[in-house]
Amino acid sequence: HMERFEPPSVTLPWRIPSGAPTTVRLLVTDDEGRPMWRNRFNDRVWNPARAAAGVTNPTRQDGTHALRHHYASVLLDAGESIKALSEYLG
């Protein structure tokens, strides 16, 4: 899959918003470098992040699907075309 759809690289602050810009490939893997399954991501990454942010009663409204909608809204607000957005989101 990665040969056909090479993970893109992105440069962003690392670890904290004011962190040093670091370039990484957008590829989510587990601790052993294997593909990260959705349920494992939720259990090991997303839910602990919500707890650390003080979300005490998680719901679908603050889940990863809501994050997808937020991403789409931000891109549209920044002027991205709907056609490009549909390609990004699959």
Side-chain angles (χ1 to χ4, degrees), residues 6-75:
E6 185 174 334
S9 295
V10 65
T11 302
L12 297 167
W14 198 246
R15 302 275 178 212
I16 58 173
S18 61
T22 303
T23 301
V24 297
R25 290 187 321 158
L26 293 179
L27 178 66
V28 179
T29 61
D30 66 13
D31 293 338
E32 297 173 9
R34 297 177 303 203
M36 177 70 78
W37 297 100
R38 179 184 64 206
N39 290 339
R40 182 167 281 185
F41 177 80
N42 284 337
D43 291 343
R44 295 190 179 178
V45 178
W46 188 252
N47 291 339
R50 286 197 291 192
V55 178
T56 56
N57 296 312
T59 66
R60 182 173 169 86
Q61 284 76 25
D62 51 39
T64 53
H65 193 73
L67 184 62
R68 176 183 169 93
H69 281 269
H70 177 73
Y71 170 72
S73 296
V74 168
L75 288 182

